[in-house]
Every structure is written in structure tokens, then in C-alpha cells.
Amino acid sequence: MHLANFPRARFAHLPTPLEPLPRLSAALGGEFTLWVKRDDCTGLAGGGNKTRKLEFLLGDALAKGADTLITQGAVQSNHVRQTAAAAARFGLACEVILEQRTGSNAVDYNGSGNVLLDHLMGAKVRTTPGGSDMNAALAAVADEVSAKGGKPYVIPGGGSNPIGALGYVDCAIELVRQADEQGLVIDRIVTATGSAGTHAGLVAGLGLIGADIPVLGIGVRAPKETQEANVHKLAVETAALLGHPDRVTREMTVANCDYVGRGYGLIDDQVIEALKLAARTEALILDPVYTGKGMKGLIALARQGVFKGETVVFLHTGGAQGLFGYHSELEGHLG
Ligand SMILES: Cc1ncc(COP(=O)(O)O)c(C=O)c1O
């Protein structure tokens, strides 16, 4: 297991801080200790979890001589914003396909937040209706680029393939080293889980270094069975890329998908409560789609006593830029 075997472009601000959240812990009853791993501070055009994945994906793209990055996501995709940023940083063209996944017609959702930054960084943006075959759409754009003599590199949604997930193998190693240095015994890691690469990379990384720390993914879209199967498959593939698929077992993959609410990218009162609580106790700015939902789940589980006596690390995967796409929905609820 040696990450240095893989080409990597270096642009993330690492290591990201590992910080206690004493005021939020107290607000949740004080029966457990909550810390945060600040992957919202990875530094690429606002940062977030995709930056770590993109270090390896860009490394691969550059090694293959690509001149155009192609990817897809929801209109307010943080992954698309960070891919556009990486392309700008390395002088590559960037073609993105945004899926109207939430069905929102709001001006801010469709023009502000992440999508505004995609345009600002020079990505060529196309939109497609919800439910489109996004893999076919990616392939069609890649064919178009090739037909014009370009060299496309297709990054799957969320950057979630084994190469991208190496970024979260690296994060697992970084987090355990930091905890060891600080004398912090971590009982559990909690993270939002969507396209699965973050969760899978963490599980693979922890398994590969033999750290016995469970990871709880709070789902933002798929039902539990689907999410756990996706994460497990990708964790095994990632560990296999590093030579040790046997280090990941099915039991290591745990997702709770009870907090998705009305659907992907749709907010509710509990998400707004989570956004407000984190902001008002710790000045921690979460996002409406992922970390807000992850924190909604964490808060609910904390109130059920699930974490009693534990030290829990919440992985802040970023996304605050997306808040500005939700202005009209949040307005009037921030009192
Ligand atoms: C802010 C944020 N958190 C969490 C996630 C979920 O990570 P993953 O797609 O690797 O499961 C995403 C994915 O887009 C994200 O943008």
C-alpha cells in the first residue's frame, strides 16, 4: 500500500485542521465529545472533499496527456465547481453537464452559488433534465471533444472511482496521524455520503492501516441498501488498487439513510436547524445538500443517545458555496 505509486497533482491545503467543537457538543447535551475534520479548508476555489480526489484524478489526467476535463453533477454541484477550479489551475479546458436534479426553477439555485463559480472559472456549462443518463451524456461530450482533436478525461460524478477515492485513503491516514499526535482516541467518524467516494476511501484507508475506527455515512440520496452496496464495492476496488482488497469487509460499510427527507438537494426544518446550530455555536458553515443533512442525522442520533460517551469526528466535506443557491429557500427561516 503506497500512495506514492500514483500520479498526483498537488494543490490541496493539507493537512486540514482537526478541531474540537465544545459549544456544539454542549448544545447537543454534552454526553459525547464532537470534533471536526475541516476538509472544507482544502483550499481549491473554496475547498471541500473533491479537492483531495482531484489531486489523484488530475495526476492521472495529466499523466495521460489530457487537455479537457469533463464531468457532471447537480446544478449546485460542489464537485463540478472544484473540477472547474482544477482545470483552470492547470490550464485545461473544462466541459460540465449539470442535471436539473432538484427540479428547482429558482433564480439563485440556477445562477448563484456553485454554478456562478463554474462560469467564473471558465467551464463550458450545459444543463440537462433530471433523470437523464449522465454516463451517456459524459460519453457524448467526450466524443465531441475527441472529434475536434482534443484529449478528453472523463471524471465520474463526485469524482467517485478508485483513483478519486485514493484522496480519502490519504485523508484516513492524515486523520489517524493527527489524532495520534494529539492523543485523541476517535470512537467514530461521521460523514455525509453521496456518490460514495469519500466514505469508501475512508473505509479502505482505515482498513489498510488497520485502524479500528468505524465510519458512519449519513446518506443524502439513495436508500440504505443501495448506498452501503455502492460504498462497499468502491471501498473494495480502492483497496484492490492498493493491492489489498481483503482489508475491507462488508461489515465496515455502514450508512444511515433515514435523514434524506424529501429527496436529494431538498431541505427541511431539521436541515435548517443543523445549519443554524453549527453556525451559531462554532461559526461552522455547513451546506444545505450534504453537510447540513449529515449534521441533521448526527444531531438526531445524538439526541437518541447513540454516541453516549464517545469521541466523534464529523468530517466537514465543504459545500458552503452552495448556500447562496438556496437564498430564497432559507430567507425567512434564519431568525
Ligand atoms: C459538500 C459535500 N459533502 C459530501 C459529499 C459527498 O461525498 P461523496 O460524493 O464522495 O459521497 C459531496 C459530494 O458532492 C459534497 O459536495
Side-chain angles (χ1 to χ4, degrees):
M1 203 280 275
H2 200 12
L3 287 174
N5 285 318
F6 298 88
R8 179 173 182 175
R10 302 268 177 175
F11 44 80
H13 297 180
L14 302 178
T16 57
L18 174 64
E19 298 173 334
L21 297 175
R23 283 174 41 75
L24 183 52
S25 302
L28 294 175
E31 288 187 333
F32 74 112
T33 307
L34 186 57
W35 285 61
V36 63
K37 174 72 172 156
R38 295 291 305 268
D39 269 19
D40 56 321
C41 300
T42 51
L44 181 69
N49 59 340
K50 309 308 175 187
T51 302
R52 286 189 193 264
K53 298 181 183 183
L54 283 162
E55 284 204 332
F56 288 95
L57 291 162
L58 254 285
D60 191 42
L62 295 173
K64 289 176 172 152
D67 62 13
T68 306
L69 300 183
I70 304 173
T71 199
Q72 58 96 355
V75 173
Q76 282 297 331
S77 168
N78 301 297
H79 161 68
V80 167
R81 183 232 325 144
Q82 286 162 93
T83 302
R89 200 56 199 273
F90 286 84
L92 307 181
C94 187
E95 302 258 358
V96 304
I97 312 165
L98 301 183
E99 183 189 2
Q100 302 277 6
R101 211 178 280 169
T102 66
S104 172
N105 295 319
V107 173
D108 47 6
Y109 186 84
N110 289 288
S112 186
N114 282 303
V115 67
L116 184 149
L117 297 174
D118 299 340
H119 287 286
L120 183 64
M121 292 183 284
K124 184 171 170 205
V125 178
R126 314 167 192 226
T127 53
T128 183
S132 302
D133 181 340
M134 298 305 283
N135 288 332
L138 286 174
V141 176
D143 286 347
E144 229 180 79
V145 170
S146 299
K148 288 184 191 149
K151 287 200 173 167
Y153 184 86
V154 174
I155 298 177
S160 287
N161 61 15
I163 291 175
L166 292 177
Y168 273 86
V169 170
D170 190 46
C171 179
I173 296 167
E174 179 184 301
L175 175 59
V176 171
R177 188 185 310 123
Q178 271 175 323
D180 286 344
E181 280 166 8
Q182 298 184 33
L184 184 76
V185 177
I186 302 172
D187 295 305
R188 207 191 298 244
I189 299 167
V190 176
T191 181
T193 183
S195 67
T198 303
H199 191 173
L202 283 177
V203 166
L206 293 166
L208 285 157
I209 61 174
D212 216 3
I213 305 172
V215 182
L216 172 62
I218 306 287
V220 300
R221 188 176 185 186
K224 179 180 169 73
E225 297 69 36
T226 312
Q227 189 64 23
E228 287 187 345
N230 290 345
V231 173
H232 176 63
K233 179 171 179 287
L234 184 51
V236 172
E237 288 169 0
T238 306
L241 190 60
L242 290 159
H244 298 282
D246 50 307
R247 301 278 176 85
V248 175
T249 64
R250 180 65 184 79
E251 298 70 44
M252 289 163 71
T253 305
V254 182
N256 183 324
C257 301
D258 294 344
Y259 302 98
V260 175
R262 292 180 298 129
Y264 172 86
L266 303 177
I267 60 175
D268 52 37
D269 289 348
Q270 292 76 33
V271 171
I272 295 173
E273 186 206 0
L275 295 177
K276 283 170 35 177
L277 193 62
R280 291 173 190 193
T281 55
E282 301 284 358
L284 200 63
I285 308 303
L286 304 179
D287 83 288
V289 182
Y290 297 96
T291 51
K293 243 168 219 178
M295 186 58 76
K296 166 188 167 180
L298 187 150
I299 291 170
L301 295 169
R303 288 179 178 154
Q304 291 164 30
V306 169
F307 305 128
K308 198 168 175 180
E310 292 188 0
T311 295
V312 174
V313 173
F314 179 71
L315 176 66
H316 189 337
T317 43
Q321 295 70 21
L323 273 173
F324 302 100
Y326 283 75
H327 171 245
S328 48
E329 281 205 64
L330 291 169
E331 203 179 14
H333 297 279
L334 298 180

